[in-house]
Amino acid sequence: MVRFALVALGAALLASCSTKSDDTRATGDATAIAPILDREDAVDQHSYAKPLEARVHHVALDLDMDFDAKRVSGTATLDVLAAEDATEIVLDSRNLTINSITAPDGSALAYEVGEGNDELGQPITVQLGDAEQIVIDYVAAPDSDALQFLSPEQTAGKEHPFLFSQGQSILNRSWIPTQDSPGIRQTWEAKIRVPNPLTAVMSAPSAGDPVPDGPDHRIFSFEMDKSVPPYLIAVAVGDIEFKPLGLRSGVWAEPEMLDAAAAELADTERMIAVSEKLFGPYRWERYDMIVLPPSFPFGGMENPVLTFLTPTFIAGDKSLTALIAHELAHSWSGNLATNATWADFWLNEGMTVYAEQRIVEAVYGEDAYDQAVSLSLDETDGAIAELEERDQVLAVDLAGRHPDDGFTSIPYDKGAAFLRTLEAEVGREKFDAFIRRWFDDHAFEPVTSSMFFEAVSEQLFDGDEEKIASFGLRDWIYEPGLPENIARGNAQAFAEVDAAVTDFDGGRDPAELGWAEWNTAERLRFLGKIDSDMDTERLAALDNAYGLSDTGNNEILFLWLKLAIANRYDPAVETLDAFLTGQGRRKFVRPLFVALAEDEQWGLPIARDIYPRARPLYHPVTFQELDEMGLGRTEDGAGSTQS
């Protein structure tokens, strides 16, 4: 049920998504314009939009992807719902060149692009007059934060260029002028013009076969008839092919990667079936994925009907496919019920980590679940130890800060720990019914922490204030740290590995330990727990025994390289160089460069050698923070990576 787009408008509006009802202005009811967003904790401070006055409910894009100029241009037609007394609508943008804004009949509409700031971009205020639809002709900047144009050399095939977008959190305003707030859900459609022989895919179902446009181009069409938060509008263009995985899933990838990707994703259909049993029907029809070039900055991005994936998850043995469970789970937590603001990011990610672990349990067994929970708790404990108290809160205060400042492991792992603790308190059967109801009640809606607090209070604790206080419900959501009632899971999940850690730290030969019999989770636990202070001889023994420098598992390789940097292990520098110049996943890249930079004598010169060569591969999400560290400059301050 698509309630956010339907309040006071009727189901016919969602189906057509073309114009707004005349009744909307007549009511003057702000909550009918933007239901739920009138709640105090649903006000998005990272958007210029004023959705209680006027709200975008549908976006139609008609865009040309110019690979020569590395820019996107065309039109965005926005359908608007406005309160009775509203005269204008405020949109979000970042460094867009606006050529014109008109009504559908071509008549000009007055508008102003505000000064804005570096973090939020610039507001566009459009005078509506009687217009219920506005047409924006624009050009995105070549350095759009959301878009990355790759040269042929940066792809697997080496023959054709590639383009992909990454919209979360507030990057899509750099290529789509709309209200870029997660609480302002919008249906959308697109026509994308690309050069032959490239193929375009988007986070929406195809609206038909591509249409030739002259001798050198084709136009691909897409339509998303379900309202989504605008950060989930995504595009990828490249030399890609499709391989089905089952009746409703498949994978896109460059031809050179397609078979390996499909083999790694063989359990996808099974995961979908399990997820539906746990969380209710899958409401997006298909679950396809695309494996992008290695510059993609995240493990995965849960774009509806087309999850974007890093190739770094391909290990050859399906050992890292919990990533797929995670992105699939977002089809309920995040895509279906979405945090209204980035302060409540945990409602997306904490629920998704919890759901991921339940999917892993159902597909791979109880031991895999116990180990996943234990590793997640390790992340939680580490974050609590390292972060300021203000950043240990689930409903985090992001006033005056960028949304990404809240993207720590707290919303992911403390959020999941909170839900597991609720499950332990009320029992799995009751909690599972609660979660399914949560997704049903808030399907295609924005949600807030206070809404979750209210739902838990009434449905799990029957409104009993004493039970609510005894559990510490408010503390879990609104206070730092970890409440004492946290459900710790199976303390013996890694008993054998933890014993091996003790043996290794005591000087035992690593070749005598059980590495060959361990699964990936156990190997990650071992590398994450052993004493990081080692001499060269000990590091060499570890590498020789386990082949760490040659592993095809990028999660294991990352932990090995962290150990190597911490101990100035010169033999690993060649592997480190290849790793940092061969992929751009921020989870891996940022910590390694930070660790290098902190060692001014040994590590910083290595970082300054590698970074200028690696940066052209990286997406802006990855390189912007590293640029601020000055890694492209020489010791005398000369040089720059900004060009």
Side-chain angles (χ1 to χ4, degrees), residues 267-491:
D267 293 335
T268 300
E269 286 282 344
R270 188 177 170 197
M271 288 183 178
I272 297 172
V274 162
S275 299
E276 288 191 306
K277 290 180 181 179
L278 289 170
F279 312 120
Y282 180 79
R283 309 182 198 217
W284 304 92
E285 297 180 18
R286 289 194 59 81
Y287 183 73
D288 292 329
M289 295 155 282
I290 179 170
V291 177
L292 295 167
S295 61
F296 185 62
F298 298 119
M301 184 63 210
E302 62 273 14
N303 300 312
V305 310
L306 187 67
T307 284
F308 282 22
L309 293 172
T310 172
T312 64
F313 87 97
I314 299 176
D317 58 3
K318 298 191 291 186
S319 61
L320 300 179
T321 53
L323 171 67
I324 310 307
H326 182 94
E327 303 308 330
L328 172 62
H330 269 304
S331 302
W332 289 266
S333 51
N335 296 5
L336 196 61
T338 310
N339 49 234
T341 78
W342 297 111
D344 289 331
F345 186 53
W346 77 272
L347 287 170
N348 281 22
E349 294 297 351
M351 283 194 179
T352 297
V353 171
Y354 171 82
E356 166 200 335
Q357 293 164 354
R358 293 290 304 277
I359 295 168
V360 165
E361 178 184 34
V363 175
Y364 299 114
E366 188 174 345
D367 289 345
Y369 170 81
D370 288 343
Q371 291 179 350
V373 167
S374 186
L375 289 176
S376 179
L377 287 169
D378 287 347
E379 293 291 329
T380 309
D381 292 336
I384 296 297
E386 294 176 4
L387 294 173
E388 298 178 38
E389 284 196 350
R390 68 171 182 169
D391 289 328
Q392 299 173 17
V393 178
L394 289 181
V396 65
D397 182 2
L398 292 173
R401 298 197 286 168
H402 194 281
D404 291 3
D405 289 351
F407 287 15
T408 69
S409 64
I410 290 296
Y412 292 80
D413 297 299
K414 180 181 175 181
F418 170 37
L419 299 181
R420 284 194 306 272
T421 304
L422 273 174
E423 177 199 311
E425 179 74 13
V426 303
R428 176 167 282 191
E429 182 178 357
K430 185 173 183 179
F431 187 73
D432 282 358
F434 166 79
I435 286 294
R436 284 193 295 270
R437 178 176 173 181
W438 171 262
F439 294 137
D440 285 340
D441 287 349
H442 303 292
F444 304 103
E445 284 188 350
V447 290
T448 70
S449 287
S450 64
M451 292 169 66
F452 190 78
F453 181 94
E454 293 162 7
V456 170
S457 297
E458 293 301 319
Q459 297 169 30
L460 294 183
F461 295 121
D462 303 317
D464 188 322
E465 293 294 337
E466 185 174 336
K467 290 181 180 178
I468 294 168
S470 176
F471 176 79
L473 181 60
R474 187 170 297 278
D475 291 343
W476 267 105
I477 298 174
Y478 298 106
E479 296 297 329
L482 288 173
E484 293 183 358
N485 65 338
I486 181 174
R488 282 282 172 184
N490 182 1

Side-chain angles (χ1 to χ4, degrees), residues 496 500 510-519 522-523 546:
E496 178 185 345
E512 298 176 357
L513 304 177
W515 179 273
E517 289 75 40
W518 295 341
N519 61 33
E522 290 165 333
R523 292 175 177 182
Y546 303 151

Side-chain angles (χ1 to χ4, degrees), residues 82-126:
E84 181 179 13
D85 58 350
T87 61
E88 61 186 30
I89 185 169
V90 183
L91 310 173
D92 295 300
S93 73
R94 183 189 299 278
N95 301 330
L96 301 178
T97 298
I98 306 299
N99 296 324
S100 66
I101 300 181
T102 65
D105 63 4
S107 59
L109 298 175
Y111 69 92
E112 179 182 5
V113 180
E115 183 176 348
N117 59 57
D118 290 341
E119 288 200 343
L120 301 185
Q122 301 81 37
I124 303 175
T125 304
V126 183

Side-chain angles (χ1 to χ4, degrees), residues 35-65:
I36 296 173
L37 298 185
D38 62 330
R39 298 176 68 102
E40 183 178 354
D41 62 344
V43 177
D44 186 359
Q45 60 190 301
H46 297 108
S47 171
Y48 294 110
K50 300 176 181 179
L52 297 179
E53 299 176 12
R55 174 174 71 88
V56 175
H57 72 84
H58 182 72
V59 178
L61 301 172
D62 191 341
L63 300 176
D64 177 63
M65 304 307 193

